[in-house]
Amino acid sequence: MTEQADEFIRQGLRVLDIEREAINDITPSIDQNFVHACQAMLGCKGRVVVTGMGKSGHIGSKIAATLASTGTPAFFVHPGEASHGDLGMITAQDVVLAMSNSGETQEVVSIIPVIKRLGLTLISMTGNPQSTLARSSNVHINVAVQNEACPLGLAPTASTTAALVMGDALAVALLNARGFTADDFALSHPGGSLGRRLLLRVSDLMHAGERLPKVEQKASIKDALLEISRKGLGMTSIVDEQDVLLGVFTDGDLRRILDLQVDLHETSIASVMTARCITVTADTLAAEALKLMEDKKINGLIVVNPQQCPIGAFNMHDLLRAGVL
């Protein structure tokens, strides 16, 4: 590598070291004040209103989004806009989380009297416990760090990392206290891959009806192979006279029996099928089905009803198309 490349790496590693140390700096702040902040937000009848200016504002916006997506209703209000009408968005049922590393940011400090007049609980997150914002708060969380990663000590770097981590700590503590589940999370993320992984069920992607590969136990291997080719899932289910699932036959099974030199036209599929095969129900989460397939190293699954009759089938390609894989 060139001398410049070496310097890039050295600086990158230096920043990581400083920001790791910043997280260590705020570890003692997971204390009784942290507990009081969690209790205030957990007991909030309205929303958690997060505010902050500049880089603190960007971090505050992310914290608000994380809170909202994990069960704590929250939104971000820009303190500059708050002084020009947006304070009307805040109600007497809300809790305010104000962020400022110095604790003296004019735009944030200027709205403290209004917050107090409304009788709201004010939680602050600053790097200066003696600041105006910290002293005016009902609860203060200290996120002071020893050094910024910026060599000039000017650009907020380690301090914003500390504030972000503390916000995540609050959000996760509240998530746990609320008993927030994966299904709850999916309901607030219906549009992305997270939503697909968490909301999609086997019934949403399985091949059913005429698209379900199925032959009776008396069918020959040739008949089963034709059914596999027609339905294109690389497998077929085998059923008895009452349509109860007896087993499955896959492309992999075919490769194994070729060495046995069986008669494909005369040998019954029931004699070479995989009996007691792994199945799922229609309401199984697609993500659970994927985990099962990965654990068992199989490429497809048969879906059965309570009577153990096959009602659908799917494979890894279906999971891939649905965005689960």
Side-chain angles (χ1 to χ4, degrees), residues 202 205-207 233 235 280 289 293 300-301 303 313-315 318-319:
V202 164
L205 52 84
M206 69 184 188
H207 298 255
L233 291 181
M235 63 179 174
V280 293
M293 293 164 73
L301 286 171
V303 186
F314 64 97
N315 61 19
D318 297 310
L319 293 171

Side-chain angles (χ1 to χ4, degrees), residues 9-41:
I9 290 175
R10 190 183 72 80
Q11 288 296 327
L13 292 173
R14 185 188 68 83
V15 170
L16 295 185
D17 287 340
I18 292 173
E19 301 216 358
R20 269 192 291 266
E21 188 59 37
I23 296 174
N24 290 332
D25 290 342
I26 65 169
T27 299
S29 293
I30 305 294
D31 56 10
Q32 201 59 36
N33 287 326
F34 180 85
V35 172
H36 291 325
C38 289
Q39 290 172 335
M41 289 190 278

